[in-house]
Amino acid sequence: MIKMKIGKSILDYRKRNNLSQEQLANKIGITRQAISKWEQEKGAPDIENLILLSDEMNISLDNLIKGNSNIKKQIVNNQKAVKFHLLVILFLIAIVIYIAYFALLHEIFMIGFLVATLFMLGIELYVYMRNIRIKK
């Protein structure tokens, strides 16, 4: 079985259908620069964009991804990263609850610890939401 890189697949599809990078990007709702980056193998589409590309190119997602170990690794790593950030968020929420418990029952209020925890929680929420957002 011949392994074809995703960038070559996208480029071949575009040329067969006389589409510019801009036109293909507009069809799936992304930037021209993203198409260029993928075609040059400088990056790879995320799972949402892979689905949109497979629909646009009228090929199965399986055929689009198979043979490209970089895409497979990226999808697995992205899923692991999202799960990791979710666990960190839950841990930080537990710390905030712990601080509230001490503040209410023992009249010990750890303002510095609370501020640092809330700051870290805000950053983790931002990263988590950025990783799971659906690109339209």
Side-chain angles (χ1 to χ4, degrees):
M1 181 174 162
I2 297 173
K3 290 187 177 183
M4 181 179 274
K5 297 200 178 247
I6 189 112
K8 178 142 177 48
S9 297
I10 295 168
L11 180 63
D12 289 347
Y13 168 79
R14 229 180 19 84
K15 290 192 176 194
R16 268 194 323 270
N17 291 284
N18 296 320
L19 293 172
S20 68
Q21 288 179 339
E22 187 77 36
Q23 290 169 320
L24 179 57
N26 287 337
K27 283 183 172 224
I28 63 172
I30 59 168
T31 65
R32 179 202 59 77
Q33 290 83 358
I35 298 289
S36 175
K37 189 168 75 169
W38 300 340
E39 287 180 351
Q40 295 173 32
E41 299 292 336
K42 292 182 179 177
D46 60 15
I47 190 65
E48 291 90 6
N49 286 323
L50 283 169
I51 292 168
L52 292 170
L53 281 168
S54 77
D55 288 344
E56 176 61 33
M57 295 165 69
N58 200 25
I59 62 172
S60 73
L61 191 55
D62 192 47
N63 287 337
L64 189 59
I65 295 173
K66 272 195 172 170
N68 193 328
S69 60
N70 290 339
I71 296 273
K72 292 176 194 174
K73 286 178 189 173
Q74 179 184 344
I75 291 169
V76 170
N77 288 340
N78 189 37
Q79 290 172 343
K80 287 180 182 177
V82 167
K83 288 178 185 176
F84 173 77
H85 287 293
L86 184 59
L87 286 174
V88 171
I89 288 167
L90 293 174
F91 178 72
L92 291 170
I93 290 171
I95 291 173
V96 170
I97 293 169
Y98 182 73
I99 293 169
Y101 167 79
F102 266 88
L104 293 173
L105 295 180
H106 299 289
E107 297 180 7
I108 300 172
F109 191 65
M110 301 171 273
I111 188 73
F113 192 44
L114 178 63
V115 169
T117 304
L118 289 174
F119 179 74
M120 290 171 54
L121 182 60
I123 290 172
E124 280 298 321
L125 282 169
Y126 171 77
V127 171
Y128 177 75
M129 296 306 289
R130 193 168 153 230
N131 281 335
I132 65 165
R133 76 166 187 244
I134 298 174
K135 296 175 182 166
K136 294 182 180 182

